[in-house]
Structure formats: C-alpha cells, structure tokens
Amino acid sequence: MPNTGKPSKDCHLCRKRRVKCDLARPQCQRCIKYGAECPGYRDQQDLLFRDANPANTKKRNKRTPQLLTGQTDTLTPSASSHASSSSFSSPSTVNLDADLDPNLMATVPTDLVPLAGGDDAFGTFQVQMPMARAISEHWTNHSIPILLNVYSTLGFLRRMLSCYPTEGPLVWAAHLFTRTYVINLRFPTAIHNETMDENRRELGAYMGKTISAVAQALNQPDGVFRDDVLATVWILANYEILIGSLGRDPFQSNWHTHLHGLYSIMKSRGIENLRSDCSRAAFWTGFNLVQVGCLISTKSSPPESQAWLESIDHVISEDERLALIASVLMVKVATIQSRMFALVEADDKEAAAREYVSLMGELTAAEHEANVGMAMPEIEATVDVLGPYWRNMYCATLVKGYHIAQQLVNLVTHHPLCPIPLARLETERTYCLERVRSSAQEIVDFASEHLPRDVRSQDHSPKTLFEALRLVWPLTAVYITQSTTPEQAASAGRLLLYVGRELGIRQALEIYPDSEPEQAVSQHGSVARWDL
C-alpha cells in the first residue's frame, strides 16, 4: 500500500538519522552543532506523490524533458539551465557570450520567488509561468545578468566575469548583491520583518562565500593583481549601501572596512598596473569610493593619490578625462577640509587665523583648476554615460568642502586679534554659502529629472537602481549639510525617501537622526540635520 503520510522536509542527514530538523538555510543548526556538512534538502518536486501506474509514469517522463527544453531557453541567459538545486552549491557556469534575453535584461525578474514552504529558498527559485507545473532554476542564471544590467555602463565587469573562474569571488559577490536587490524590492521598507531573519542567514552565507573566495585569491602570489578581486570588494561596498550599514558612526561600519580593503589592494598593486585599460577601469570605481569615504569622514586622501592620478594622466583616453578632473578635485578638497576641520574641532582661533589665507586660497584654486578643465572643448564635446555621475561628484565635493570652509570663516571671525578685515571675512563667508547652495541645487535638479517623479511609476529597473546608487551620497550631502537651504534639504529628503522605500536602497533611510523620515522631510524650516 502506498505511503499517504506527509513527506518530510528535513535535510537529508536529519532524515537519515531520524531526528528533527529546524529547516534552517543554508545549513540546519543540528548539522552545524555536530560539525557535519549539511547535505541540503529535497527538491520541491520530490515531495509530490504521483500515480504510480507504469503507463502514466512513462508518459510523464517522456513529456517532462520536452517541457523543460521548450521553456528554459527563453528564461535563462545561459546555454543550459539547472532544473533544480537542492542545496547551497557552487555557482554554475554561465555563458556570457550568449545573447541575453531582452525581457530579462529590461527589468528585474520580480516574478522570481522562493519555493513555497522554504524547501530550497536559498538556491532555487520558481519562475511564475502559465504551465502545468513550475520550473526551478538556480539563482546563478539570474544573478549575473541582473548585475551586468545594473552596471551596464561598466563594460569591464562582463570581461572579468568571462576571464575569471566561475567559482571566483566576483561571481559570489554577484549572488550577494543581486539577491539583496531582489529582497529589498520585495520588502523595500521591512527593516523588521519576520522573514528578514531567514533572508539575513541566506545573505550571510553568500557573504561568507564571497569573503572566503577573496581571501583565497589574495593568498595566491598574483592575487592582489587580479582585477576581479578589486571589483569584488567594490561590489561589497555597494552591497553595504543596499542594506544601509553606514550609520552615524562611520568608523564602525562594514562600508569603511571595505574601503580600507580597496585602498590596501590598490596600494599593493602600484602604479604600473594602471597602464591596463581594464585594470584602470576597476581602479576608477574603487578609488572613487575611497575618496567619498575620505570626504564623508573628513579625512585626508591617501598619500599615494597624487602619484596614482599623475601616472594615469599620461595613459588615459579622452573618455576618462572628466573622471580625472573630478578625482583631482576630490583629492585636494578632502585634504584641505581635513586641515580646516581639525582647526574648527580644536577651536584653535589663533592657528585658524594664521592658516586661513593659505587654506582658503588652496580651496578656491582647486575649484578654479577643475572649472578650467571642465570648460575645455574636448571635455564638453565628450558624450559619456558616466559624465553626469562625475559632475554630481564634483558638486557634492564642493558642498562638503565649502561647508567646512564656512565653519572656518566663522571661527576666525570670533578671534579678537584676527588680522583679516571683517568685511573680507563676510564676503568670503557669503561666497562659501553661495557655492554650497548652487552646487546643492544642481544635484537636486539632476536627481529630480533623472529619478521617477511619481512613486506610482514603479520603475524598479536595474538602470534606475544604478542611477539611484550614484545619487545616494550627493543627495545625502545636500540633506544633512546645514549650509544648504531648508527647501533644498527637503527636496533631497523626498528624493532619498523614494530611493529608500521604492527602490530598496536602505542607506537612503539611514539619514534621519532625530525623527521619522516623513516628519523630518515635512519640516521645511527645521529639517533634522547634522554636520557632515
């Protein structure tokens, strides 16, 4: 007589031992407790009882391969598809030379949901299709195409994924980043949700695999020179922005830890590595994040920054010229503002008055040099998809730099023995405010134009995610810098709310220190802000 009881969902080892399993992913706690490698769980399809009639079984086995062959070719970007994955396994090989399905690449496959009951929610997804029964696919078939679509303007990622091992750190980072993206879209505001514990375990396993792959690569003699390792750490830093780990204390965040890793790798690679186009492309992404970290934490740029940029100046193409101009400005402003902030924080009026003219002169000279470079005909004629990004980096740098400069002016003004005329100080204070507010307005205008204005548009495409990720820091600089106008701060706050709640970039929701986001944004005259 056939068994009519409910099939066990326990992992294979717990079923073999006839003990209760807690069904945790990717490994159950009992296997972890006894130091055994959890073999995983049954496939969802294996839990279904079917008619055991030999004739029906023969028909079903004949029909299933035809159904799978006819459907998976249109669903996956790879030449072959995994019908199922019953455990947390290594990523499968993905054919990056194959044409990607435009329907998949145009939008995120939000119809991908974990299998019901959680039998294999970690590595297997159901594709909602009008067919007799669902087809299960490994997450690899979707994670890499989503990553390539999010960063479609960064062609070096595709080359790296083609050149390096399919089980390398970059592939694991793709799983971590894109899985987080899909989770955030499904639960964009569920900071505390009953499903989040399971999601954290899942993402934690991916993070562990990624870090392990990076460590293994760096243990090799040429590991530090691998471009995929540098790109992986950069993706990890972007992952921290997705989950919103950068809080009020930047020195305790994983984001800054990843930035330190980026700097260490770039320092070890040296200057000669920058002659390669692909290596230089990876360098720009990592170096820019390091510079943003310096500006946020009011620290000087790495001492190697000037040598790196001078070396690049001799080999870059015209498309990289704008990136070089913006990066030079960021390096100089980060160093200048750190010196200014040290004087302001120490309330050293005498030293501030003594160094004031020099510091203000260096700041205005750095801005003038950048403006001259950007006004060059070859720069204005350059059509580059990353041009607006570097322009926003330029504006956000000026917002931060001139805000600190205004604080220095205020400090010197209160020095009773200040040798600088008060009229000059007032003029330069007004100039600092003007530069902060004009730069902030440019950021707000750009974001308002390029981010969806109506949340009902539900534009959750990877292109929108990339645009939003590039705007998080500029908008945050506008929102929390006290020198911007209340109207600019409120506009930036509304855009950040959209980015955080509708696009699932949690870092945009981590900037409201004293009140709920809606309350902070609605208070035009007293927006809750603090000094950068």
Side-chain angles (χ1 to χ4, degrees), residues 87-240:
S87 65
F88 179 59
S89 58
S90 299
S92 61
T93 301
V94 177
N95 181 11
L96 296 177
D97 296 328
D99 292 334
L100 298 179
D101 183 357
N103 294 325
L104 174 65
M105 297 298 290
T107 59
V108 177
T110 53
D111 54 344
L112 299 179
V113 296
L115 289 174
D119 284 330
D120 199 11
F122 181 65
T124 308
F125 284 74
Q126 285 185 346
V127 182
Q128 303 298 321
M129 296 291 290
M131 56 180 63
R133 60 192 179 101
I135 295 177
S136 302
E137 292 187 299
H138 195 279
W139 181 238
T140 305
N141 293 328
H142 301 282
S143 62
I144 294 178
I146 293 175
L147 181 75
L148 292 177
N149 201 14
V150 170
Y151 297 111
S152 59
T153 58
L154 307 179
F156 68 90
L157 282 178
R158 178 182 293 275
R159 294 193 296 271
M160 289 180 188
L161 285 165
S162 300
C163 296
Y164 290 100
T166 56
E167 296 186 21
L170 188 55
V171 174
W172 287 116
H175 297 335
L176 174 67
F177 181 87
T178 54
R179 185 69 185 102
T180 304
Y181 176 33
V182 172
I183 289 174
N184 285 4
L185 286 183
R186 295 185 64 207
F187 311 104
T189 59
I191 306 299
H192 302 287
N193 186 287
E194 59 183 8
T195 64
M196 294 310 293
D197 289 339
E198 181 178 351
N199 291 333
R200 290 191 187 97
R201 287 195 297 269
E202 176 183 343
L203 297 178
Y206 275 133
M207 174 64 81
K209 289 288 186 179
T210 305
I211 297 298
S212 176
V214 170
Q216 184 177 0
L218 291 177
N219 285 332
Q220 303 299 321
D222 62 339
V224 73
F225 296 101
R226 284 177 49 173
D227 295 332
D228 67 325
V229 173
L230 183 61
T232 296
V233 182
W234 172 71
I235 290 176
L236 289 177
N238 285 331
Y239 158 77
E240 300 296 340

Side-chain angles (χ1 to χ4, degrees), residues 350-472:
E350 183 177 352
R354 186 171 56 250
E355 299 182 35
Y356 175 83
V357 175
S358 174
L359 289 171
M360 292 297 293
E362 291 179 30
L363 179 59
T364 54
E367 182 192 3
H368 176 72
E369 180 183 352
N371 290 339
V372 170
M374 289 185 174
M376 297 172 62
E378 54 269 29
I379 297 297
E380 293 183 340
T382 301
V383 179
D384 185 7
V385 292
L386 291 177
Y389 169 75
W390 291 112
R391 181 69 190 182
N392 283 321
M393 287 293 103
Y394 161 85
C395 291
T397 301
L398 294 183
V399 168
K400 179 67 188 300
Y402 276 106
H403 170 67
I404 301 296
Q406 184 223 351
Q407 292 183 327
L408 181 66
V409 174
N410 293 340
L411 177 64
V412 173
T413 302
H414 290 85
H415 181 38
L417 302 179
C418 178
I420 305 171
L422 291 179
R424 176 180 174 180
L425 292 175
E426 183 60 29
T427 299
E428 294 186 346
R429 180 181 182 277
T430 302
Y431 178 77
C432 290
L433 284 174
E434 188 275 330
R435 296 306 296 130
V436 168
R437 292 171 180 178
S438 61
S439 300
Q441 192 61 47
E442 188 170 340
I443 293 171
V444 170
D445 290 344
F446 178 86
S448 300
E449 180 180 354
H450 289 80
L451 289 177
R453 301 181 182 181
D454 186 356
V455 297
R456 293 172 296 180
S457 65
Q458 296 297 312
D459 183 4
H460 296 161
S461 66
K463 180 181 181 299
T464 302
L465 175 72
F466 188 33
E467 197 74 67
L469 280 171
R470 295 187 295 176
L471 284 169
V472 167

Side-chain angles (χ1 to χ4, degrees), residues 294-295 297-301 331-345 359 400-401 404:
C294 291
L295 289 167
S297 57
T298 323
K299 297 298 180 182
S300 297
S301 298
V331 167
K332 292 182 177 180
V333 171
T335 302
I336 295 168
Q337 72 159 15
S338 68
R339 293 162 55 195
M340 289 181 171
F341 185 73
L343 296 171
V344 173
E345 189 176 36
L359 289 171
K400 179 67 188 300
I404 301 296

Side-chain angles (χ1 to χ4, degrees), residues 10 63 208 297 360 403 450 501 505 516 520:
D10 296 347
R63 182 173 64 250
S297 57
M360 292 297 293
H403 170 67
H450 289 80
R501 294 195 164 176
I505 302 178
E516 291 297 321

